[in-house]
């Protein structure tokens, strides 16, 4: 061990390696998140470092390895009001902490910073939307990029963690039909993303196969409840026979519920209500709302883990991982 100026003894990388029973190089790779180190070995080294109170000198590490010890996480401003995306952020941060990385959160408004280049080793993007100037800027930096959900344009980053939202939307529609719904409506999102496009595409295809005229309204992602309620009221007033409604975004179903009740409907009996994204608000409503668990935290962990695998050379560019989801049946779709 090395003695500091204050007389305290500080652990070195050699001490950590000896404690973990590995070589100095392996210990260094494990702490930096680089090289081909097994998960078991990395955990053993991290435990040894923690027990010894070892702290990485990030400035020195950066000079030696040309790395920053940080990854970037881009969050479009509109997404910060979504519980799903906040869970995603926590998943990324927790996984990064386990690999001894910091997370630089990148937020852009309508006018993205024209010359912004983050000082990070790689990037995670959340649900990229078409024509987002910051996404274009970040993907042109040459840094490895992992995306949660695919790019709507078809162009893909170094890695992508995605879910088959169309499949789960069809499963939800089949459930509504089995519970007696004959003409379900959809309040989708104006956002052009892989998530929104697949949900709307699955809904239209299901209606076509069922011989049902589709009823769709759209609202901006994260829109105020009053706007969503106006859209729902106008849609229901202009269409006949609608007996179920699906909200695409996680705030839609909760916003629409009072409108349905005010119109004389009994949610879960003569009118079924569901959501393509679950949230705590839907779980505590009376009745609780059937929803798709989109696994925000798990998606964040998977994206960060994939990015670290790319940085270590343990994964090839173009890697793809499907994240399974779950349909949670609740009282709002019990039917008569």
């Amino acid at each position: 061990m090395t003695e500091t100026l204050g007389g305290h003894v500080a652990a070195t990388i050699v001490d950590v390696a000896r404690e973990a029973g590995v070589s100095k190089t392996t210990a260094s790779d494990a702490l930096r998140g680089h090289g081909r180190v097994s998960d078991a070995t990395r955990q053993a080294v991290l435990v040894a470092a923690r027990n010894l109170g070892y702290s990485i000198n990030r400035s020195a590490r950066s000079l030696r390895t040309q790395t920053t010890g940080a990854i970037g996480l881009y969050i479009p401003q509109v997404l910060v009001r979504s519980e799903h995306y906040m869970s995603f952020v926590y998943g990324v941060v927790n996984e990064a902490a386990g690999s001894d990385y910091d997370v630089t959160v990148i937020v852009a408004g309508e006018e993205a910073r024209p010359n912004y280049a983050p000082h990070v080793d790689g990037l995670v993007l959340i649900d990229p939307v078409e024509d987002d100037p910051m996404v274009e800027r970040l993907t042109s930096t040459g840094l490895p990029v992992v995306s949660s959900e695919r790019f709507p344009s078809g162009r893909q980053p170094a890695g992508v963690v995605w879910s088959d939202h169309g499949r789960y939307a069809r499963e939800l529609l089949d459930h509504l039909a089995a519970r007696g719904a004959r003409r379900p409506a959809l309040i989708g999102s104006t956002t052009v993303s892989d998530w929104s496009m697949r949900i709307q595409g699955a809904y239209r295809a299901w209606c076509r196969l069922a011989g049902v005229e589709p009823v769709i309204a759209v609202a901006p992602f994260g829109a105020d409840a009053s706007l969503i309620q106006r859209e729902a009221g106008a849609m229901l007033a202009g269409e006949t026979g609608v007996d179920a409604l699906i909200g695409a975004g996680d705030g839609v179903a909760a916003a629409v519920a009072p409108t349905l009740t005010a119109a004389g409907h009994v949610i879960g009996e003569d009118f079924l209500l569901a959501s393509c994204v679950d949230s705590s608000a839907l779980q505590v409503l009376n009745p609780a709302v059937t929803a798709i668990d989109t696994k925000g935290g798990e998606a964040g962990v998977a994206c960060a883990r994939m990015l670290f695998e790319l940085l270590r050379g343990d994964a090839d560019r173009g890697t793809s991982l499907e994240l399974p989801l779950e349909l949670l049946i609740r009282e709002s779709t019990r039917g008569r």
Side-chain angles (χ1 to χ4, degrees), residues 2-304:
T2 302
E3 188 174 348
T4 66
L5 291 177
H8 298 290
V9 175
T12 68
I13 188 66
V14 175
D15 298 318
V16 174
R18 185 182 300 115
E19 178 77 7
V22 298
S23 68
K24 176 183 174 182
T25 300
T26 299
S28 178
D29 285 345
L31 291 170
R32 290 186 298 113
H34 290 270
R36 295 184 180 276
V37 181
S38 70
D39 289 341
T41 299
R42 181 170 290 106
Q43 287 303 315
V45 172
L46 291 173
V47 169
R50 185 164 53 249
N51 290 342
L52 294 172
Y54 177 77
S55 176
I56 296 176
N57 184 328
R58 289 193 180 279
S59 297
R61 184 178 80 173
S62 179
L63 290 173
R64 290 194 306 270
T65 66
Q66 299 300 307
T67 64
T68 67
I71 60 172
L73 171 60
Y74 173 52
I75 311 174
Q77 223 167 35
V78 68
L79 300 186
V80 299
R81 297 187 293 275
S82 165
E83 187 174 317
H84 166 84
Y85 292 112
M86 288 302 96
S87 297
F88 182 95
V89 170
Y90 293 138
V92 172
V93 170
N94 288 336
E95 184 67 18
S99 296
D100 198 41
Y101 263 77
D102 293 330
V103 177
T104 298
V105 177
I106 304 164
V107 179
E110 294 181 359
E111 296 182 3
R113 289 167 282 181
N115 300 312
Y116 179 69
H119 189 55
V120 295
D121 294 339
L123 295 155
V124 173
L125 308 181
I126 301 179
D127 204 9
V129 301
E130 195 171 80
D131 299 327
D132 183 337
M134 182 55 84
V135 169
E136 294 299 322
R137 190 158 299 120
L138 293 174
T139 53
S140 66
T141 60
L143 294 168
V145 173
V146 171
S147 168
S148 170
E149 305 303 341
R150 294 167 286 202
F151 281 42
S153 63
R155 174 176 56 90
Q156 297 308 322
V160 59
V161 176
W162 62 281
S163 297
D164 191 346
H165 295 283
R167 168 193 162 191
Y168 290 96
R170 290 189 296 272
E171 184 177 335
L172 176 54
L173 286 159
D174 288 340
H175 164 71
L176 293 177
R179 295 297 174 92
R182 294 293 173 262
R183 198 182 185 199
L186 172 71
I187 297 183
S189 172
T190 56
T191 302
V192 182
S193 67
D194 188 67
W195 166 79
S196 64
M197 292 168 62
R198 287 185 182 277
I199 288 174
Q200 292 189 38
Y203 171 76
R204 293 183 185 278
W206 186 92
C207 288
R208 187 165 55 249
L209 289 173
V212 175
E213 186 68 23
V215 180
I216 299 181
V218 293
F221 192 92
D224 291 337
S226 58
L227 173 60
I228 296 171
Q229 289 165 357
R230 287 197 300 272
E231 291 290 340
M235 180 177 66
L236 295 174
E239 297 287 346
T240 59
V242 173
D243 53 5
L245 189 146
I246 298 173
D250 60 359
V252 174
V256 167
T259 301
L260 297 175
T261 302
H265 293 294
V266 178
I267 297 174
E269 294 186 14
D270 71 311
F271 201 101
L272 309 186
L273 180 64
S275 174
C276 288
V277 182
D278 195 22
S279 71
S280 56
L282 300 180
Q283 298 167 27
V284 300
L285 277 180
N286 187 19
V289 176
T290 291
I292 298 170
D293 182 357
T294 48
K295 311 284 187 181
E298 293 180 30
V301 168
C303 284

Side-chain angles (χ1 to χ4, degrees), residues 274-334:
S275 174
C276 288
V277 182
D278 195 22
S279 71
S280 56
L282 300 180
Q283 298 167 27
V284 300
L285 277 180
N286 187 19
V289 176
T290 291
I292 298 170
D293 182 357
T294 48
K295 311 284 187 181
E298 293 180 30
V301 168
C303 284
R305 187 170 295 166
M306 182 179 289
L307 179 57
F308 293 133
E309 290 173 352
L310 286 163
L311 290 172
R312 293 194 304 265
D314 293 340
D316 296 327
R317 285 182 173 269
T319 187
S320 175
L321 173 68
E322 180 181 0
L323 179 67
L325 306 181
E326 183 180 3
L327 177 60
L328 304 174
I329 308 299
R330 301 190 179 113
E331 290 298 298
S332 69
T333 60
R334 63 180 179 270

